[in-house]
Amino acid sequence: MTHFLWGWYLMSTTTRRWLARASFALMLAAAALLLAVAGWRSLGLVVLAVIGVCAVLAGGYWFLANRGVRRWIALALAVAAPVFILVVFARAGLLWVAVVAVALMVAAAGTARTALSTGGQDAAMPAVPAARPKRPFLIMNPRSGGGKVTKFGLKDKAQALGAEVALLEGPGMVDVAALARKAVADGADLLGVAGGDGTQALVAGIAAEHHLPFLVISAGTRNHFALDLGLDREDPATCLDALTDGEELQVDLGVIADRTFVNNASFGAYAEVVRSPAYRDDKRGTTLQLLPDLLHGHQGARLTAQAAGTRIDGPQALLVSNGPYEMTDVAGLGRRARLDAGTLGVVAVRVDSARQAIGLLRRGHGQGLTMLTAGEVTIDADAPQIPVGIDGETVMLPAPVRCAIRPRALRVVVPRERPGVPAPKAALEWPRLRQLASFRAQPDGEPLSARPGREPSP
């Protein structure tokens, strides 16, 4: 068995080595194509493309930070820059070369991430078989997600499986927390919600308080929590399979003030915009109207945050998430590979100029972007109260506001057969990629990146 595992490791390492070499080969092929067809003009074209990207980012920032004529000039710049670049490449007869070169670089990046990945063997959260509940109690919002509860017949299907269902039909506002607590007092042994993430978070906190399993039914509009649990968002009825053939996951819960959150709590510009009375009727217009004053500090509270020994001064937007979001590529943004990491994710943005907006391309290295993880985050302000968006619902909280994590506090029951969560893509770390692509033998069969001074492999 030991020989088999060692052979599997060597085969896996060999494959990753050749993928790393293929990545460098694709990058060289892109450069060689440009030089072969365009000669030294290719350097000017590359510089022109970089300038175009910077113009788009700068134009985007000026569009958001200004009003009136300046805003529309900025929009014209952001639109005209890529058009101008395409025209230049086309007139030089090099448009096809640029397209092929970009395709090669994209392929190189994808190959590099695959080479640096360990295959995602440890990405999935551990699951254990779930006992079938005897008295499940489900809360369903018929208006959530454009009427998914009715569209997919969730009430009838849940009742056929032995669940008691309460519909949030009114009249008037229904106290969801009181409804869930009464169900627990009456002997419910499982709580579940078919609705938005805000309602999910509220009932999840009560389920965790009473150590009861919790069922997520993806009947909301976006269903970010369901997405990160690996549930089917296209057919929420499949979530009900967990009542008869389920697995149990232990996931973290975020805590802010006396509330829980399953996704995130947002501070700053987003929370200020959403709490505006005009936002519900005109989201786009209200956002564009308020953003200039928020970005320049003329409106809204000035925030400071303390997290993991780091002080963050004056962020315009601050996101505290129940587990860190993937930031390795655009496709992964807004996803969490695991919900049992036991840490909060923190992303803070402060952009005071077009130059800082361009610097955001450097991700964690730009002055305007801070990304870290912490067990606790404290947000203070120069105002007695600040708006906070908690899983999409805005509330006013007294400052300072403390966010914390409750590791594996929630027992979530999910169907055994479900789409699952894709393994996170590895970050592009050039030193590791160069080491992996090297033709020099590693001493004594030592694993890559495990030598002194090297970052250990995941």
Side-chain angles (χ1 to χ4, degrees):
M1 182 67 175
T2 303
H3 291 294
F4 170 78
L5 291 175
W6 180 245
W8 177 88
Y9 168 76
L10 290 177
M11 179 177 65
S12 175
T13 302
T14 301
T15 302
R16 292 170 59 209
R17 282 185 174 281
W18 282 107
L19 285 171
R21 293 161 187 164
S23 177
F24 281 108
L26 288 167
M27 287 185 274
L28 289 173
L33 175 65
L34 287 171
L35 287 173
V37 178
W40 293 109
R41 288 188 303 162
S42 60
L43 297 178
L45 295 175
V46 170
V47 171
L48 179 63
V50 172
I51 292 174
V53 172
C54 293
V56 171
L57 290 173
Y61 170 76
W62 289 326
F63 174 77
L64 296 175
N66 291 280
R67 297 189 182 95
V69 176
R70 290 185 178 181
R71 167 171 283 172
W72 300 114
I73 292 175
L75 179 61
L77 172 65
V79 173
V83 173
F84 174 74
I85 292 171
L86 289 175
V87 170
V88 170
F89 273 75
R91 294 194 64 175
L94 299 173
L95 185 58
W96 71 271
V97 177
V99 171
V100 173
V102 169
L104 288 171
M105 292 301 294
V106 170
T111 306
R113 291 186 192 281
T114 303
L116 293 171
S117 172
T118 56
Q121 296 96 332
D122 300 323
M125 291 182 287
V128 297
R132 180 165 182 170
K134 296 179 180 178
R135 297 190 61 183
F137 181 82
L138 307 182
I139 297 172
M140 298 186 178
N141 185 352
R143 295 180 296 275
S144 186
K148 289 182 179 179
V149 169
T150 302
K151 178 181 177 181
F152 289 94
L154 298 181
K155 179 184 176 182
D156 293 339
K157 292 177 180 178
Q159 289 176 333
L161 294 172
E164 181 182 350
V165 178
L167 294 180
L168 302 181
E169 293 180 309
M173 296 294 293
V174 179
D175 190 335
V176 175
L179 198 62
R181 292 188 187 279
K182 183 179 184 303
V184 174
D186 291 342
D189 59 356
L190 176 144
L191 295 178
V193 172
D197 287 328
T199 309
Q200 299 276 6
L202 183 60
V203 180
I206 296 171
E209 176 186 338
H210 294 277
H211 308 289
L212 292 178
F214 180 66
L215 175 63
V216 176
I217 305 172
S218 55
T221 302
R222 296 180 180 86
N223 298 121
H224 291 299
F225 191 42
L227 175 70
D228 294 331
L229 288 169
L231 300 177
D232 188 343
R233 296 192 300 171
E234 301 301 321
D235 184 2
T238 60
C239 300
L240 294 172
D241 294 341
L243 294 175
T244 55
D245 185 19
E247 293 180 328
E248 185 175 302
L249 309 173
Q250 288 187 311
V251 306
D252 303 336
L253 270 181
V255 180
I256 179 170
D258 59 347
R259 298 181 51 148
T260 55
F261 60 93
V262 294
N263 292 325
N264 55 62
S266 58
F267 303 79
Y270 172 77
E272 294 281 359
V273 169
V274 172
R275 83 179 181 111
S276 170
Y279 180 77
R280 187 175 298 274
D281 295 327
D282 184 9
K283 293 181 174 60
R284 185 179 304 171
T286 304
T287 301
L288 293 177
Q289 177 63 27
L290 296 180
L291 268 181
D293 289 336
L294 291 171
L295 293 177
H296 292 303
H298 303 318
Q299 184 176 330
R302 177 179 172 83
L303 305 176
T304 59
Q306 292 278 357
T310 301
R311 179 182 172 89
I312 305 170
D313 287 311
Q316 296 155 328
L318 176 70
L319 187 76
V320 180
S321 57
N322 176 25
Y325 284 105
E326 293 180 38
M327 302 295 284
T328 54
D329 70 341
V330 174
L333 293 179
R335 295 207 65 161
R336 294 162 292 177
R338 298 188 65 141
L339 293 170
D340 60 351
T343 60
L344 297 169
V346 182
V347 180
V349 178
R350 179 170 183 84
V351 180
D352 295 317
S353 65
R355 179 178 180 181
Q356 284 191 347
I358 296 170
L360 292 179
L361 283 176
R362 300 177 62 198
R363 296 195 182 275
H365 304 289
Q367 293 182 353
L369 182 64
T370 302
M371 296 184 297
L372 50 87
T373 58
E376 182 177 317
V377 183
T378 302
I379 300 93
D380 208 346
D382 59 358
Q385 287 188 319
I386 54 175
V388 185
I390 304 176
D391 284 337
E393 298 181 3
T394 303
V395 298
M396 296 296 294
L397 295 178
V401 178
R402 176 179 172 271
C403 301
I405 192 77
R406 293 176 59 193
R408 304 192 179 191
L410 182 63
R411 299 166 56 196
V412 179
V413 178
V414 296
R416 187 172 56 85
E417 296 294 334
R418 59 190 184 278
V421 181
K425 294 184 179 180
L428 282 177
E429 299 174 3
W430 297 111
R432 283 186 61 206
L433 190 66
R434 286 197 300 270
Q435 178 193 359
L436 196 58
S438 172
F439 282 91
R440 291 181 296 179
Q442 300 299 318
D444 302 323
E446 193 173 48
L448 295 167
S449 300
R451 291 175 291 170
R454 298 286 187 179
E455 178 187 350
S457 297

